[in-house]
Amino acid sequence: MRTFNMGASVKASFGPFAVVGEFNSALSEVTFFDGLGNTKTMTPMTWQASIAYQFDWNPLVVEIGQQGTYISAAYSGSKDMAGVTDLVSGVPTRIGFLPRHRLALTGGEWVMDGLRLGVEYSANWDY
């Protein structure tokens, strides 16, 4: 079984703001049998968009979040990534899945060189 994939990403910084977008997808449909012998057909696809803000922005730092205090918000989604069923120790178990949609809010502070304190909240909407 051979499938081809495509991925694209864009990243831009505007002073203390950063914007990132990403898209990944299979270019063709794939069909296979899961661990229970059921036929699965899917064309998996994922995407993500995020925005970040750097407090006390330093124009010499290329990446937002690599120093000081920062916040970010990201929203992502997927299609045909509900996973498949496999037998794990004889028990049918769903494996290899991503949520249908996810919202993630992150904040962080570099308290000293090499030590960052961060907090993240995420909400997932499953298949």
Side-chain angles (χ1 to χ4, degrees):
M1 168 179 24
R2 179 172 284 187
T3 183
F4 295 96
N5 302 306
M6 173 190 67
S9 64
V10 75
K11 183 176 183 179
S13 294
F14 307 98
F17 291 94
V19 178
V20 177
E22 184 175 350
F23 175 82
N24 298 287
S25 179
L27 295 177
S28 58
E29 193 174 74
V30 63
T31 301
F32 60 93
F33 294 102
D34 68 8
L36 300 179
N38 301 319
T39 303
K40 296 290 183 181
T41 301
M42 60 180 65
T43 309
M45 182 271 302
T46 62
W47 60 268
Q48 175 180 330
S50 67
I51 185 166
Y53 179 78
Q54 178 76 51
F55 294 95
D56 299 326
W57 177 64
N58 178 348
L60 299 177
V61 176
V62 178
E63 298 263 340
I64 300 293
Q66 291 301 309
Q67 75 168 30
T69 306
Y70 66 94
I71 57 172
S72 71
Y75 191 69
S76 61
S78 67
K79 175 184 158 291
D80 284 347
M81 297 292 286
V84 296
T85 304
D86 198 2
L87 290 176
V88 178
S89 299
V91 177
T93 305
R94 186 172 84 163
I95 60 169
F97 60 91
L98 292 174
R100 181 173 290 200
H101 296 282
R102 171 182 284 163
L103 172 66
L105 305 173
T106 306
E109 167 74 32
W110 286 92
V111 293
M112 65 174 62
D113 285 343
L115 179 61
R116 178 179 62 183
L117 176 63
V119 177
E120 180 171 301
Y121 167 80
S122 68
N124 297 328
W125 292 269
D126 209 352
Y127 286 89

